[in-house]
Amino acid sequence: MRLLTAGESHGRCLVGILEGLPSGAVIDTEKVNEELARRQQGYGRGGRMKIETDRVKVLSGMVGGKTLADPFAFEIENRDYANWEKVMSPESGDISLKKLSAVRPGHADLTGVVKYGFEDNARPVLERASARETAVRVAAGAVCKQVLAALGITVKGEVLHICGKTDERDIHAAIDEARKNGDTLGGEGRITVSGMPAGVGSYVQYDRKLDALFAFHLMSIQSVKAVGVGEGAALAYKKGSLAHDEIFADRRKTNRAGGIEGGMSNGEDIVLTASFKPIPTLMKGLSTVDLSSGQAARAASERSDCCAVEAAVVVAENVVAFATLDALINTFGGDTLDELKARVSERRAKCALRK
């Protein structure tokens, strides 16, 4: 499968084109909207969440609630565009009206300006690099989740900690303190894929390995700085006798590998972790240089979140859903949902005979 996204943070709308879905899959757009609503929740979110109420509008690829196998195109309106039309209109916009020259450390601002020749205004960089783009990826993942559900596969995400804190009261207190100080917080989330048949992915070529696919998709999310599979980095501190999952006649007693061995699913739950850095847009601003003057300055502050870890986990959950369905289709093929279901069922039956 392939997903193309388009749109700017304050542009007219966001657009997604999801290519490669099998025909005959039933898609409930309200379930997609529920996922979009989940993305907008979480303690520590910013003011924009009070403006936007994201809803998906399917443009093609579905009739009567069923996929057709042609590109599944959709859009999500940016309601804030009404306040930004003079700046962001494709026909008459003037980005100098919202110039940003005090580039922000940790963002794409400085390198993007240099790469694309925007001189001293990072506005077009941040408009596209913004995590607003993840609304499209959540919508696409929500579609994929419904196809996965028909195959008996679920994808669930959870927050592991926010800035090292796991108790909700402590988390809220830490976020409140960070907001008061103009600071931001990061954290970590876990995504679990249940029901995945064995043998998805392959060891025969590096770019067909399942763990590589998940790492690629998770690392492409704004703010993700580390990805783990199973026990991840903790395995580097263990002896081999305590690092691997021994095989018994009936089942495995551990899942340290996180459901992936040799680049292939092994039938256990797939367990992935993602580490999210603190949002680099700080209300108090970090030290930087103003590109217009070349002088030292405090980084510009855009309307932003203090902590978006809960929302980021929702994004990661849906990104993993897309990657999971992509891997299944690459492994089993099938132009229709019924064909894909039959092939996945056949693999499960073969694995059951070996137990």
Side-chain angles (χ1 to χ4, degrees):
M1 293 197 308
R2 181 171 62 154
L3 172 64
L4 292 177
T5 74
E8 294 79 35
S9 181
H10 297 97
R12 185 169 287 149
C13 65
L14 301 171
V15 176
I17 300 178
L18 181 56
E19 186 180 46
L21 288 173
S23 69
V26 176
I27 304 300
D28 183 346
T29 55
E30 281 307 308
K31 289 184 178 179
V32 177
N33 292 331
E34 288 170 7
E35 290 296 304
L36 289 172
R38 288 181 63 216
R39 175 191 167 275
Q40 295 187 284
Q41 297 169 4
Y43 201 80
R45 301 305 305 277
R48 185 166 188 182
M49 296 306 103
K50 299 176 182 178
I51 298 173
E52 304 283 3
T53 302
D54 290 337
R55 295 185 67 82
V56 68
K57 179 180 179 180
V58 178
L59 305 175
S60 70
M62 184 175 79
V63 171
K66 287 189 176 182
T67 56
L68 301 173
D70 52 316
F72 187 96
F74 59 91
E75 69 174 37
I76 301 168
E77 179 188 3
N78 282 334
R79 295 193 178 187
D80 206 14
Y81 176 67
N83 302 315
W84 284 75
E85 187 170 2
K86 291 182 179 179
V87 180
M88 295 301 299
S89 168
E91 297 81 15
S92 59
D94 181 0
I95 59 174
S96 69
L97 296 174
K98 285 287 187 178
K99 184 176 180 179
L100 190 150
S101 57
V103 289
R104 300 162 299 168
H107 269 291
D109 296 358
L110 178 58
T111 306
V113 164
V114 173
K115 179 176 176 65
Y116 290 108
F118 295 131
E119 298 181 355
D120 62 350
N121 187 359
R123 170 59 54 190
V125 179
L126 71 93
E127 284 293 329
R128 179 57 185 164
S130 166
R132 175 74 182 139
E133 180 261 0
T134 61
V136 177
R137 303 183 73 187
V138 167
V143 171
C144 293
K145 274 186 177 180
Q146 296 182 55
V147 181
L148 291 172
L151 302 173
I153 298 169
T154 60
V155 184
K156 297 291 184 183
E158 59 183 318
V159 174
L160 291 178
H161 68 84
I162 292 178
C163 203
K165 300 184 184 300
T166 57
D167 180 80
E168 184 177 279
R169 290 171 298 178
D170 293 339
I171 288 172
H172 288 189
I175 291 174
D176 290 341
E177 182 69 17
R179 193 194 300 277
K180 177 182 176 181
N181 295 328
D183 217 329
T184 59
L185 300 177
E188 193 170 29
R190 177 166 56 213
I191 314 299
T192 303
V193 182
S194 301
M196 187 74 135
V200 178
S202 178
Y203 63 87
V204 303
Q205 193 61 269
Y206 67 92
D207 60 351
R208 293 176 61 190
K209 293 187 176 184
L210 185 60
D211 40 4
L213 177 71
F214 283 129
F216 168 79
H217 283 282
L218 284 169
M219 284 299 298
S220 71
I221 299 170
Q222 294 87 336
S223 85
V224 171
K225 298 300 287 184
V227 172
V229 180
E231 294 191 4
L235 292 172
Y237 298 89
K238 292 187 174 184
K239 296 178 181 179
S241 57
L242 299 175
H244 303 290
D245 305 308
E246 294 181 295
I247 301 171
F248 300 91
D250 54 349
R251 62 181 179 84
R252 299 191 191 224
K253 298 179 181 179
T254 60
N255 188 22
R256 300 178 180 116
I260 301 176
E261 292 174 312
M264 301 171 294
S265 58
N266 63 13
E268 302 294 321
D269 282 354
I270 292 172
V271 182
L272 309 164
T273 55
S275 301
F276 308 98
K277 70 180 181 182
I279 295 167
T281 300
L282 278 67
M283 292 301 104
K284 64 181 180 182
L286 297 171
S287 296
T288 189
V289 172
D290 191 306
L291 299 183
S292 294
S293 65
Q295 301 299 310
R298 305 301 292 184
S301 60
E302 290 278 306
R303 180 177 57 205
S304 184
D305 302 322
C306 172
C307 179
V309 173
E310 290 182 60
V313 170
V314 174
V315 174
E317 181 181 310
N318 282 281
V319 164
V320 167
F322 170 86
T324 301
L325 183 57
D326 183 34
L328 283 161
I329 291 173
N330 286 338
T331 297
F332 297 111
D335 296 314
T336 71
L337 179 60
D338 285 344
E339 288 176 345
L340 181 57
K341 286 173 67 175
R343 293 171 187 179
V344 170
S345 295
E346 182 182 2
R347 174 62 59 82
R348 288 195 176 111
K350 286 182 178 179
C351 292
L353 291 173
R354 292 181 177 272
K355 290 185 178 180

